[in-house]
Amino acid sequence: MYFVVKALGLIVLLGWAAASGASKRCPGYIATHISETDNGFAASLKLNGQPCNKYGQDIASLMLSVRFDTSDRLHVHISDKEKTQYQIPQWIVPLDKGLGVDKRHHSLEFTHAHNETSGFGFKVQRDGEAIFDTTGHVLVFEDQYLELTSNVAADANIYGLGESPNWFRRNPDNTTITLWNRDVADPFGENVYGSHAVYMELQSKSAKFHGCYLHNSHGMDVVLAPGTVQYRVLGGTLDLYIFGGPTALDVIDQYTQLVGRPACIPYWALGFHNCRYGYTSVDEVNQVIANYSRARIPLEAAWTDIEYMDKTRDFTFDAVNYPVSEMKKQLDALHARGQKMVLITDPAIHVDDAYGTFVRGRDQDVFIKNADGSLYVGQVWPGYTVFPDWFAANTSEWWSDELQRYFDMLPIDGMWIDMNEPASFCTGSCGSNRPMNEEPTPPWLSTAPHRFINKTNRMLVPPYAINNHELELSDKTVETTAIHATGVTEYHVHNLYGHMESRATRDFLLAYRRNQRPFILSRSTFAGSGALVSHWTGDNMASWADLHVSIASVFDFGIFGIPMVGADICGFYGNTTEELCARWMELGAFYPFSRSHNAKGLAPQEPYRWASVAKATRRALRVRYALLAYMYSAYQDSVDHGWPVVRPLVFEFPSSQFASNDKQMLIGSSILVSPVLTQGARSVDAVFPTGRWYDWYTHAHINGHNTNVTLDAPLEHINVHIRGGSIVPTQRPEMTTRQVRQNDYELLVATSANGTATGQLYVDDGESFDTQHKWIDFSYDARVLYVAPRSGTMRVERAVTSLVLLGVVGAHTVSVNGVRVDCSTVVTPNSVVVTGLNIDLNTKSRIVVS
């Protein structure tokens, strides 16, 4: 949730924003005292002339460290010799350092050079192809401004960098991606809730991917211009990690090995969720739950927004509309049906001497301060609020204690942490020296002018203005001059706030339910947040454009290492339409995190509200729930390797032909979803890469030739295809994930043109960390299906009882391990369906269909 900034603010901002990063010539640096190290080398960098003090004070003496961390990851760190520049502590974002390898055994090559005009530069190559190259560009390193420029191809295929709603392939000619966490309703191309300074590039000539991550918590612009990518950073150091790929999945594997693998999720998180900001009572939520059941639409979890709280204060309940006694009854009823409850929590704490959470926090000194030592007091939903200081010694303990009190009242199943950029409705400590019980005017009702902008204070208004689209960096958040317990100012650590809250929240849940996987959904994220939380893309609009952009946003977070992600289905702001909601439910059924959610005061949009939307939802969710075992297996690949569950075609088919495709999405590597994204359309043009693709519903196949095929798409239908060469495990869909998991398996064997296919299945208990597990491999060749447990000791209770063979002509008999079995075989024009089997997944099996 957010409030609308006045249009005048944006006009003024653009009027005084800093000019181009190349507006003033700087001397660059010269490398001296170069020495070899065990896994790389080091050097000193000295200013190569008179300081230019472009947007700060030039730092004369720097240190260069180059380390080959792993065989395919290179660490290049340029830092100040005096170590006064802020760097992210290891305890906040634990980075994998790697064992270090000899550079002779590395896939990347590092060289450096000196240019008479630009000074020191370096180049990283893979197989003779430059993947990061600063030569010919001046390095600027000042206390409040860093500038580093790398050469890229003229029409580079660059992905990642954000969080910013945008098309998946960034425009390489004119794009500025700003990283400064911001509470705003998903404006296209602007910075929003999280900060991820990682990108990957597909080089058209080699069809290989590489990546780069800048480990820095300061606000920054990353500017794409013809032939270059340029970092403009408001402080810190240039702490770069370069990933050699060469595939897209390799890059994400290498990145998440560095910042942290995605967290294990509970199986139930893959079900369908419902929420609305504006449900007036627990009775209304109960009615919504019942309506889903009556409409035969699966509902896994019922969510409630801030209205359940007493005066929107954390860890409280509205005694009239959401009494704890009735909430407990709702929770018990949900659990009895195999469903879950998730509630929202914001970080801002109401200033009120009668509010125990505030009093205990104040007494334990856990809140952010002003420079004079007084409490920093902003404004959020309850009124004047203070903000937990995650750097303070007692904050995690206080936060855990408040959560314990909360869970003692109502032991909910998951947590939703919102407004954690952190959001504040006023600029500066607007509640300082105000009466404690005063209720401030909400900003959307205020006519007061913006405060005087003190441009002489460089912590408030840095000399370089990132493209933040607000009058000040401090607008709508905690002021940049606010002080944390360690003495660091908010200016340096703003982008870490939501990540640190995520860690504190996860730490509590791990202690509260030992050995049980937490589910936490966070709006604000940073590098490594995927190891802690899941994410939704925030306050989008009920528009066809936002429907389309949601696909790219899901792809982005796959790169960022947060694969459990989705958008508010049917849109958060604005009244959706029947057609838009039908199309969005169809697409949203395949987001990794699938939830309908919209704002207060707008038309309700639960999918049962329209007959056509209900039908479209049932149809799409039936496919999703059939695929839960497949999706869960894909998610385990995320846990093990970082790979995204939902991915673009270009990740599997690295070609410039697919470089800009963000209108279709792959689930894992085998399921292709082609949604309708255009109002009024009853067909969709879908591109099919070379190979066979089988229609999910009819099993008819298309021979792909990297060309578009026009597919029929009635309002209640979304096109789903199975990639030839794949074996996809499915189960009969039900109303909850618990019910689905009790069903036997069916294997969809979608053969390639040469009659082969492979697949896998991962099984565990879906709840605990120390669960036993089992990986099972499937392969098919020459009418023989092989089942082979790969690893794990878990006994899989459900058997494979049916096969659907696609691309196979005729079949009459089936034998398992040499023994003919009595089963039913139905041959259709598009498939062979075998039922009545009982194939044990705990042992090797050889199934012959002849």
Side-chain angles (χ1 to χ4, degrees):
M1 293 165 282
Y2 88 120
F3 60 90
V4 179
V5 68
K6 296 178 177 63
L8 178 62
L10 178 58
I11 295 170
V12 175
L13 166 75
L14 296 177
W16 61 268
S20 165
S23 61
K24 190 174 180 182
R25 172 58 58 189
C26 292
Y29 288 81
I30 185 170
T32 64
H33 301 96
I34 300 170
S35 61
E36 296 283 335
T37 64
D38 290 342
N39 308 118
F41 69 94
S44 297
L45 298 179
K46 303 294 183 183
L47 205 60
N48 191 34
Q50 293 299 311
C52 67
N53 299 327
K54 188 176 188 178
Y55 296 117
Q57 299 298 311
D58 283 83
I59 297 177
S61 297
L62 306 177
M63 297 185 298
L64 169 68
S65 170
V66 178
R67 184 175 187 266
F68 295 91
D69 286 353
T70 69
S71 61
D72 41 34
R73 185 179 84 214
L74 179 65
H75 183 196
V76 180
H77 191 192
I78 302 173
S79 59
D80 58 311
K81 186 176 181 180
E82 300 302 321
K83 298 184 182 299
T84 58
Q85 294 288 99
Y86 184 78
Q87 297 184 45
I88 302 170
Q90 177 75 359
W91 67 270
I92 296 177
V93 183
L95 297 182
D96 170 75
K97 299 300 184 182
L99 296 176
V101 298
D102 190 299
K103 62 183 179 182
R104 293 171 297 181
H105 303 135
H106 204 277
S107 63
L108 304 179
E109 178 187 4
F110 180 94
T111 58
H112 64 93
H114 182 80
N115 180 284
E116 290 298 325
T117 304
S118 58
F120 168 81
F122 68 88
K123 181 186 295 187
V124 180
Q125 294 176 286
R126 177 193 55 207
D127 300 328
E129 188 174 42
I131 62 173
F132 199 89
D133 179 12
T134 74
T135 58
H137 301 284
V138 173
L139 166 65
V140 181
F141 200 113
E142 298 173 346
D143 58 346
Q144 282 189 266
Y145 183 76
L146 314 178
E147 183 177 299
L148 184 72
T149 308
S150 176
N151 299 309
V152 296
D155 193 27
N157 300 306
I158 292 177
Y159 310 96
L161 300 170
E163 181 180 6
S164 177
N166 211 318
W167 308 127
F168 181 52
R169 178 180 179 266
R170 306 309 193 210
N171 181 351
D173 296 332
N174 183 27
T175 298
T176 297
I177 299 122
T178 299
L179 275 62
W180 184 257
N181 295 355
R182 176 170 168 240
D183 171 27
V184 65
D186 284 355
F188 185 83
E190 296 183 18
N191 55 304
V192 290
Y193 316 104
S195 291
H196 298 272
V198 60
Y199 76 84
M200 56 197 303
E201 180 185 356
L202 169 65
Q203 294 195 315
S204 298
K205 183 182 294 186
S206 65
K208 294 179 179 179
F209 282 90
H210 63 269
C212 181
Y213 167 60
L214 176 61
H215 190 56
N216 188 303
S217 58
H218 292 79
M220 69 180 78
D221 286 338
V222 185
V223 180
L224 306 182
T228 62
V229 55
Q230 183 179 80
Y231 296 91
R232 305 175 186 174
V233 192
L234 297 183
T237 66
L238 293 168
D239 197 2
L240 288 163
Y241 292 85
I242 298 166
F243 312 105
T247 70
L249 298 187
D250 288 337
V251 173
I252 297 170
D253 182 6
Q254 292 150 18
Y255 174 64
T256 56
Q257 181 187 32
L258 173 70
V259 302
R261 300 292 195 199
C264 293
I265 57 168
Y267 201 102
W268 64 263
L270 288 174
F272 179 71
H273 306 248
N274 181 82
C275 185
R276 184 177 183 191
Y277 172 38
Y279 288 138
T280 58
S281 68
V282 64
D283 292 335
E284 184 178 4
V285 178
N286 285 333
Q287 188 61 51
V288 168
I289 296 168
N291 288 343
Y292 269 95
S293 179
R294 276 192 289 270
R296 301 300 296 165
I297 296 174
L299 177 65
E300 190 73 16
W303 297 50
T304 307
D305 213 308
I306 58 173
E307 54 272 356
Y308 80 87
M309 302 177 186
D310 177 26
K311 301 176 183 176
T312 65
R313 296 182 298 186
D314 278 351
F315 315 128
T316 66
F317 294 87
D318 181 334
V320 175
N321 297 308
Y322 287 89
V324 173
S325 59
E326 293 303 310
M327 294 292 282
K328 286 181 178 177
K329 291 179 183 177
Q330 184 184 95
L331 182 63
D332 290 342
L334 286 166
H335 287 175
R337 295 188 296 268
Q339 297 168 300
K340 306 294 181 180
M341 176 189 286
V342 182
L343 301 181
I344 196 170
T345 299
D346 294 337
I349 302 300
H350 190 210
V351 177
D352 183 348
D353 272 340
Y355 177 36
T357 296
F358 167 72
V359 173
R360 289 185 290 271
R362 181 189 59 193
D363 292 347
Q364 295 176 60
D365 196 22
V366 303
F367 299 125
I368 295 174
K369 305 285 183 59
N370 290 305
D372 63 5
S374 63
L375 290 179
Y376 181 93
V377 185
Q379 179 188 350
V380 193
W381 300 114
Y384 289 128
T385 54
V386 289
F387 299 85
D389 178 3
W390 308 112
F391 290 87
N394 297 327
T395 304
S396 290
E397 182 178 352
W398 163 81
W399 186 249
S400 290
D401 179 63
E402 297 305 319
L403 285 171
Q404 182 68 58
R405 295 168 186 266
Y406 176 53
F407 273 70
D408 285 346
M409 290 187 285
L410 189 69
I412 57 177
D413 300 293
M415 288 194 65
W416 172 20
I417 51 178
D418 191 13
M419 306 291 284
N420 54 346
E421 293 71 34
S424 180
F425 296 161
C426 64
T427 303
S429 188
C430 59
S432 292
N433 303 315
R434 306 296 299 179
M436 189 168 287
N437 60 354
E438 179 180 338
E439 294 188 11
T441 302
W444 48 90
L445 300 178
S446 175
T447 59
H450 192 280
R451 73 177 185 181
F452 171 76
I453 300 175
N454 182 6
K455 296 183 182 181
T456 64
N457 187 327
R458 290 175 27 172
M459 286 290 112
L460 283 177
V461 184
Y464 176 77
I466 60 173
N467 195 29
N468 185 46
H469 293 272
E470 304 290 348
L471 289 173
E472 295 186 52
L473 287 179
S474 302
D475 284 349
K476 298 167 71 171
T477 189
V478 169
E479 189 170 80
T480 52
T481 58
I483 304 293
H484 293 271
T486 57
V488 66
T489 61
E490 179 70 5
Y491 176 92
H492 300 291
V493 298
H494 167 77
N495 287 339
L496 297 173
Y497 193 90
H499 178 84
M500 296 179 75
E501 184 197 16
S502 297
R503 183 173 297 282
T505 304
R506 184 175 177 84
D507 286 347
F508 163 74
L509 289 173
L510 290 173
Y512 177 73
R513 293 188 176 116
R514 297 185 184 278
N515 195 35
Q516 187 167 329
R517 304 171 199 175
F519 179 76
I520 309 168
L521 190 78
S522 177
R523 189 168 74 172
S524 184
T525 58
F526 191 75
S529 289
L532 308 171
V533 294
S534 302
H535 177 68
W536 91 108
T537 60
D539 299 345
N540 58 3
M541 301 297 294
S543 72
W544 291 91
D546 280 44
L547 170 66
H548 182 180
V549 169
S550 74
I551 300 175
S553 295
V554 169
F555 291 167
D556 286 346
F557 276 86
I559 295 173
F560 300 157
I562 308 178
M564 189 61 177
V565 61
D568 280 349
I569 298 173
C570 298
F572 182 74
Y573 280 116
N575 288 318
T576 193
T577 65
E578 180 177 357
E579 181 187 10
L580 174 61
C581 198
R583 293 306 192 189
W584 211 324
M585 284 301 311
E586 291 165 1
L587 172 63
F590 297 96
Y591 295 152
F593 172 64
S594 183
R595 182 187 71 166
S596 174
H597 183 218
N598 75 319
K600 192 174 185 177
L602 300 174
Q605 62 185 37
E606 295 87 1
Y608 54 73
R609 299 282 178 176
W610 306 267
S612 66
V613 178
K615 183 177 179 181
T617 302
R618 284 190 293 267
R619 186 174 175 86
L621 286 180
R622 186 170 179 82
V623 180
R624 179 191 182 91
Y625 276 57
L627 285 169
L628 284 174
Y630 170 81
M631 294 182 71
Y632 190 68
S633 301
Y635 197 91
Q636 187 60 34
D637 277 335
S638 297
V639 173
D640 293 340
H641 307 290
W643 300 342
V645 175
V646 169
R647 58 192 72 158
L649 279 167
V650 73
F651 281 13
E652 294 288 327
F653 304 93
S655 163
S656 57
Q657 185 164 358
F658 304 109
S660 299
N661 186 318
D662 54 16
K663 294 184 177 182
Q664 297 168 272
M665 60 189 196
L666 283 164
I667 314 300
S669 61
S670 301
I671 300 295
L672 179 63
V673 179
S674 304
V676 170
L677 305 173
T678 305
Q679 184 175 4
R682 294 299 182 267
S683 65
V684 62
D685 290 335
V687 64
F688 287 90
T690 298
R692 284 187 179 178
W693 298 86
Y694 297 88
D695 185 285
W696 173 272
Y697 310 94
T698 69
H699 299 154
H701 79 269
I702 291 172
N703 288 318
H705 299 288
N706 296 339
T707 54
N708 280 332
V709 177
T710 300
L711 305 171
D712 288 338
L715 182 59
E716 297 87 0
H717 179 78
I718 183 167
N719 280 279
V720 180
H721 287 81
I722 309 161
R723 183 179 178 181
S726 305
I727 299 178
V728 178
T730 69
Q731 291 171 288
R732 187 176 70 249
E734 304 283 359
M735 294 292 285
T736 66
T737 62
R738 185 175 72 180
Q739 292 171 327
V740 173
R741 298 193 78 194
Q742 295 169 358
N743 294 334
D744 289 325
Y745 293 101
E746 177 175 88
L747 298 184
L748 291 177
V749 182
T751 60
S752 64
N754 63 7
T756 63
T758 60
Q760 63 179 10
L761 172 66
Y762 175 81
V763 182
D764 66 15
D765 69 10
E767 297 177 357
S768 66
F769 286 105
D770 66 0
T771 173
Q772 293 179 321
H773 77 278
K774 183 154 286 179
W775 274 108
I776 302 151
D777 290 325
F778 307 111
S779 62
Y780 181 87
D781 189 10
R783 291 185 172 269
V784 181
L785 172 67
Y786 298 90
V787 176
R790 183 202 316 167
S791 65
T793 59
M794 183 177 192
R795 176 161 186 81
V796 181
E797 297 298 329
R798 312 318 306 177
V800 173
T801 57
S802 59
L803 306 176
V804 178
L805 307 177
L806 308 182
V808 176
V809 178
H812 302 286
T813 63
V814 177
S815 64
V816 178
N817 296 328
V819 179
R820 183 170 175 172
V821 296
D822 184 17
C823 60
S824 173
T825 302
V826 177
V827 179
T828 74
N830 298 323
S831 64
V832 175
V833 180
V834 182
T835 58
L837 299 171
N838 186 25
I839 300 170
D840 186 354
L841 291 173
N842 299 287
T843 60
K844 288 185 178 180
S845 296
R846 182 177 184 270
I847 301 98
V848 178
V849 182
S850 58

